[in-house]
Amino acid sequence: MGARREVIEDLRRQIDRRHGGSPSRKSLPFGIMPIDRHLPTKGLALGALHEVIEHGPASEFAGTATLFTAGILARLKGPVLWCLTRRDLFSPGLLQAGPHPNRVIYAETSRDGEILPLIEEGLHEKGLGAVVGEVTKLGLTASRRLQLAAEASGVTALLIRRWWTLAQKDLTGLPTAALTRWRITPAVSESMPADGLGRARWQVDLMRCRGAEPCSWIVEACDAQGRLALPSDLAHGPHPAQVRKPAAG
Amino acid sequence: MRRVVSLYLPTWPTDRIRRKFESPPPDKPLVTVRTTGSRRIIASACQAARQCGLIEGMPVAQAQALVPDLHVMDADPEGEAKSLLELAKWAIRFSPVVALDSPDGIWIDIAGVEHLFGGEEALLKTLIARLEINGIRACAAIADVPGAAWAVARYGKGGIIPPGRAVDAVSCLPVQALRLSPPTIGAMHRLGVERIGQLAAMPRAPMVRRFGREASLRLDQALGHAAEPISPIIPEETTVATRIFAEPIARLEDLKLVVRQLSEEVCRTLVKKGQGVRRLDIVFRRVDEKGAALRAGTAKATRDHAHLAKLFDDRLETIDPGFGIEEVVLIASRTEPLDATQMVARGLDEAEEEADISRLVDRLAARVGVDRVYRLAPVETLVPERMAAKVPALSPPARSAWPDGLPRPTRLLDPPEGIITTALLPDYPPAAFIWRRVRYKVIKADGPERITSEWWLGDQHRMLRDYYRLETDKGARFWVFRDAPLSEGGRWWMHGFFA
């Protein structure tokens, strides 16, 4: 078993070299064993393009995708560029799991087509920790450009894919050059002994990943340092990796 | 594409006098007077004087008979022209291509810069509002043809003429709008030609015989059939680098190369002057006399020529070279003192984060405008909509922060949207609610957290909200509030989305 895994690892490295990617890609572990073990890079690959899809139209579930992204930013160093088209981001809420407001620079445009050049501009800047982009449309060519820019500079690109109509939802299913595609859905939280809300719970779906199967996990939402956690009542239950879903989209 | 603002200052001489001497008050009629032969006639009349029936060319004696307390000043054409030049220099803040349109107007070519002000309409509004605050009456029009903009600013209502619609905009205007000499206008009137459209409909050859070449040229300029160059004024003290080509260039690579060379040249001059650039303009002059301009700003004074050249790189693609560009001018239109030592320090410490970010901010601002690249700083308030204020991206870090510990959503609906709720008991958190025609069942709730407006704002802005966090049966979490207890007619509102 161990020998086979080594062979696979070796093959993977060879493929990576062929594709021009660095064999030892830096990554940011989520700190949750099942997820990190599942990802070929043992965490979220840095200097690459990732998509986070909102699970729902309007802003209804925008909070989850946003907080998931903010949690990643909190654990990265350096300033962050956040490119947006709609002004519904509430930065005091972002602070609760994400980066300090002094670290975040916002670039705003009113048109969707203008946002991709902004993201690319940010990805050329080596000093940045990450670039977040809120986009609806993302073509294959555009995503390749962003992926190449991210690889060249080592800046991580996190694209929050927003959608408001069903037609736009279908757009989020189209292929892109992103390394991973996540979908964050709210899940019913643990019931508290007293009235009130405890820590929120998410279903994290890895819908696409270069070099790994799609997978789903139930996790507890980001804490103040942006860390996810495994739910205590599920940690000893069925292995979360077995809650596997067929590839969606 | 070309877009030209024609700014018209109908009462410039009198506005200038009021600004200079702060008298007489705006409601007192004021005229300036010039002497022709032995007659003293009104050269220009202010708004109040016009309302009293005083017009230009009226003898002063007659005017004083009509308005006994009339303020009279001598006209000062030289001084007026000088102040108009000052005003034109001020207008360079809008675009690098600004030209005088004596005696009472200014041209501004805004092609390629209007997005920095949020579009043409916003630019026009800002321009006129700024002038009016300073006591200068102004009217302006934007068109792709300078002659049409001129005509609409003076004889039309002003405003924006969409590209390609110059003919429609001017054809119903009187022939005076063609910038012709009074005898020519008189000749037209004698023949019953009152409107530009009438003139345009006449066969060209007889029309030229009757009214002269000038009429034909001005007509073509107003309709956009003849080119009309605008040669920008450049204040003498400005640092400029110019290239004139014997053979016009059109290729993008050539343009990029020229921009790079020019920015090196500008930076060399700036080193000598001990200055750094805050705003940089580039003006292209085409073979067919049409121009184009680009503008970029920097968040910090800089003399880094590679960085400056890069600010234009992407936008050079938008320049239409036409049959070729024969002159390129790079203008450091706003500069600030910059010590040589500072430059060295930054050069040594290349990895310094802040310096890098300032360059990124410049490049982003060149794309979307300075006010759209920003940071959010905490505001000392409890009202969610007002908690974050935009500050310039490079402003010093905020010391305070938002209170943590209180749960806040990551997305906020502004303004909040009304929801229909059902509750188990009055003043309890809702058991279910309908938002955007979808029904949600609440299984857990937290609250209330009472948020009130600041007491020092007084009773008018009084606001009282009870916020609840709700979790639905699907796990989605919402931030809702009721704006008063039920006994006072409180309503429920959806305000934010949690993770």
Side-chain angles (χ1 to χ4, degrees):
Chain A
M1 184 73 184
R4 187 192 284 173
R5 176 162 287 168
E6 266 172 35
V7 170
I8 290 172
E9 281 298 309
D10 188 47
L11 284 171
R12 231 171 226 160
R13 272 196 293 275
Q14 285 184 24
I15 291 169
D16 273 351
R17 260 198 298 275
R18 286 275 162 105
H19 281 275
S22 61
S24 57
R25 201 193 278 278
K26 280 189 197 159
S27 72
L28 179 78
F30 282 98
I32 294 181
M33 278 306 283
I35 300 184
D36 288 337
R37 223 168 30 212
H38 184 82
L39 292 166
T41 43
K42 307 293 163 232
L44 194 79
L46 299 178
L49 187 66
H50 302 280
E51 289 178 81
V52 184
I53 292 181
E54 295 184 349
H55 175 265
S59 317
E60 189 181 339
F61 301 110
T64 49
T66 311
L67 204 65
F68 178 77
T69 311
I72 295 169
L73 298 180
R75 291 178 292 128
L76 287 169
K77 283 196 181 62
V80 171
L81 174 67
W82 196 302
C83 308
L84 40 89
T85 50
R86 299 210 181 198
R87 291 187 198 171
D88 58 348
L89 197 68
F90 190 52
S91 37
L94 213 57
L95 177 66
Q96 304 197 337
H100 193 272
N102 288 341
R103 273 179 64 200
V104 189
I105 290 172
Y106 297 92
E108 182 186 300
T109 128
S110 46
R111 268 170 295 182
D112 223 36
E114 282 177 357
I115 203 144
L116 296 171
L118 290 181
I119 299 169
E120 193 179 350
E121 197 71 79
L123 289 176
H124 287 312
E125 190 67 52
K126 285 197 172 67
L128 284 187
V131 178
V132 181
E134 299 184 3
V135 293
T136 306
K137 277 189 200 141
L138 179 69
L140 194 54
T141 320
S143 65
R144 272 200 196 115
R145 272 187 79 129
L146 297 182
Q147 168 66 26
L148 287 175
E151 265 178 27
S153 64
V155 179
T156 310
L158 299 162
L159 298 186
I160 301 179
R161 298 291 302 273
R162 312 201 68 180
W163 55 279
W164 282 268
T165 62
L166 279 176
Q168 286 176 339
K169 186 191 182 180
D170 294 340
L171 285 178
T172 63
L174 297 176
T176 63
L179 226 57
T180 61
R181 177 182 288 171
W182 303 84
R183 186 176 60 194
I184 318 297
T185 317
V188 178
S189 67
E190 191 185 4
S191 39
M192 301 288 282
D195 279 355
L197 274 66
R199 192 167 170 180
R201 213 170 257 192
W202 297 336
Q203 180 179 329
V204 174
D205 299 326
L206 180 63
M207 296 169 76
R208 274 161 189 272
C209 176
R210 208 188 284 174
E213 294 280 304
C215 196
S216 289
W217 303 272
I218 300 275
V219 298
E220 305 231 286
C222 292
D223 64 6
Q225 276 76 43
R227 285 186 304 245
L228 302 168
L230 274 182
S232 54
D233 55 341
L234 288 180
H236 304 293
H239 193 277
Q242 285 166 5
V243 194
R244 188 170 287 184
K245 289 175 88 179
Chain B
M1 191 190 56
R2 193 177 194 195
R3 296 297 281 168
V4 181
V5 180
S6 174
L7 181 67
Y8 172 45
L9 311 168
T11 52
W12 173 241
T14 47
D15 287 343
R16 176 178 159 266
I17 287 167
R18 281 216 172 84
R19 268 169 60 74
K20 207 165 161 189
F21 303 110
E22 289 182 6
S23 73
D27 54 329
K28 292 278 185 302
L30 168 70
V31 294
T32 64
V33 168
R34 67 187 160 93
T35 313
T36 50
S38 58
R39 292 184 345 135
R40 297 184 75 219
I41 57 170
I42 293 178
S44 84
C46 75
Q47 183 67 4
R50 283 175 193 215
Q51 277 162 2
C52 299
L54 309 186
I55 53 163
E56 283 148 27
M58 187 187 259
V60 175
Q62 189 189 344
Q64 275 168 329
L66 279 171
V67 185
D69 59 346
L70 183 66
H71 292 258
V72 179
M73 298 283 281
D74 278 330
D76 174 14
E78 272 175 37
E80 281 158 23
K82 225 162 142 188
S83 334
L84 192 66
L85 183 64
E86 288 305 314
L87 190 75
K89 284 182 187 169
W90 168 84
I92 289 180
R93 70 179 54 210
F94 290 97
S95 159
V97 188
V98 174
L100 286 179
D101 176 20
S102 299
D104 55 5
I106 288 174
W107 297 111
I108 310 173
D109 189 334
I110 55 160
V113 295
E114 79 284 354
H115 72 285
L116 299 176
F117 298 90
E120 290 180 348
E121 205 167 318
L123 187 146
L124 214 56
K125 221 183 241 172
T126 316
L127 175 67
I128 290 176
R130 287 282 186 86
L131 289 170
E132 260 163 20
I133 286 170
N134 285 298
I136 301 168
R137 269 186 71 220
C139 184
I142 301 181
D144 46 0
V145 180
W150 194 94
V152 174
R154 282 159 179 80
Y155 292 91
K157 286 191 187 126
I160 295 167
I161 302 155
R165 303 293 298 275
V167 178
D168 308 349
V170 298
S171 57
C172 59
L173 295 178
V175 284
Q176 283 94 322
L178 284 178
R179 295 177 282 175
L180 291 168
S181 59
T184 317
I185 300 283
M188 285 178 186
H189 283 191
R190 275 196 301 279
L191 287 170
V193 179
E194 300 284 337
R195 307 273 153 193
I196 294 177
Q198 274 174 288
L199 193 67
M202 287 172 77
R204 191 50 73 95
M207 189 201 91
V208 173
R209 268 204 305 280
R210 218 164 253 157
F211 305 121
R213 291 224 161 270
E214 193 202 3
S216 150
L217 174 72
R218 289 303 191 194
L219 180 64
D220 282 342
Q221 282 178 342
L223 301 178
H225 300 319
E228 187 174 358
I230 290 176
S231 54
I233 52 159
I234 296 168
E236 295 123 33
E237 65 275 16
T238 318
T239 307
V240 184
T242 313
R243 279 271 186 297
I244 300 172
F245 307 104
E247 196 65 39
I249 59 166
R251 281 167 54 213
L252 185 62
E253 299 91 87
D254 293 342
L255 280 180
K256 283 189 179 172
L257 186 69
V258 170
V259 170
R260 216 154 291 148
Q261 288 171 349
L262 289 176
S263 65
E264 268 177 53
E265 202 177 316
V266 162
C267 288
R268 269 200 302 276
T269 318
L270 289 172
V271 171
K272 281 182 206 147
K273 292 185 177 177
Q275 290 176 327
V277 182
R278 285 298 308 276
R279 194 176 66 207
L280 204 59
D281 288 314
I282 191 159
V283 179
F284 302 93
R285 203 159 60 75
R286 284 167 36 167
V287 176
D288 55 3
E289 293 290 341
K290 284 187 182 167
L294 293 176
R295 158 165 290 185
T298 63
K300 269 183 178 175
T302 174
R303 279 197 298 255
D304 180 345
H305 58 80
H307 170 57
L308 293 178
K310 216 171 168 191
L311 293 181
F312 293 111
D313 259 7
D314 292 312
R315 287 193 295 152
L316 285 178
E317 293 167 17
T318 63
I319 296 292
D320 170 19
F323 296 111
I325 288 168
E326 55 181 17
E327 187 181 4
V328 181
V329 188
L330 188 70
I331 309 159
S333 50
R334 225 177 94 203
T335 53
E336 271 176 12
L338 180 67
D339 293 334
T341 46
Q342 207 180 332
M343 187 67 193
V344 174
R346 199 186 295 165
L348 283 176
D349 201 359
E350 199 72 68
E352 197 193 319
E353 209 166 75
E354 208 181 342
D356 281 341
I357 290 308
S358 81
R359 288 173 201 183
L360 174 66
V361 169
D362 291 347
R363 293 206 302 273
L364 295 171
R367 285 178 180 278
V368 293
V370 182
D371 55 338
R372 291 206 183 161
V373 182
Y374 54 88
R375 272 205 340 250
L376 290 173
V379 177
E380 300 261 344
T381 176
L382 295 169
V383 183
E385 296 93 317
R386 294 204 291 263
M387 280 176 89
K390 285 184 185 179
V391 294
L394 295 182
S395 54
R399 283 165 188 281
S400 58
W402 291 289
D404 49 1
L406 293 171
R408 290 289 176 266
T410 51
R411 298 276 174 183
L412 197 72
L413 268 182
D414 189 15
E417 290 174 16
I419 53 175
I420 301 162
T421 58
T422 45
L424 296 174
L425 285 168
D427 290 346
Y428 259 49
F433 63 90
I434 297 168
W435 172 59
R436 290 187 182 171
R437 286 180 293 179
V438 178
R439 186 182 165 83
Y440 297 87
K441 188 164 178 268
V442 177
I443 50 166
K444 287 172 205 155
D446 219 350
E449 179 192 344
R450 179 157 290 186
I451 293 181
T452 55
S453 58
E454 297 77 3
W455 56 265
W456 58 85
L457 290 180
D459 275 350
Q460 276 161 333
H461 302 277
R462 214 177 86 89
M463 182 204 86
L464 188 144
R465 293 174 179 175
D466 282 334
Y467 277 91
Y468 289 88
R469 286 198 299 155
L470 307 180
E471 183 176 316
T472 68
D473 53 351
K474 304 269 182 357
R477 292 188 173 195
F478 297 97
W479 208 35
V480 300
F481 70 86
R482 188 181 49 206
D483 50 8
L486 196 62
S487 51
E488 295 169 29
R491 273 200 62 189
W492 286 91
W493 303 86
M494 171 66 64
H495 206 185
F497 312 100
F498 284 99

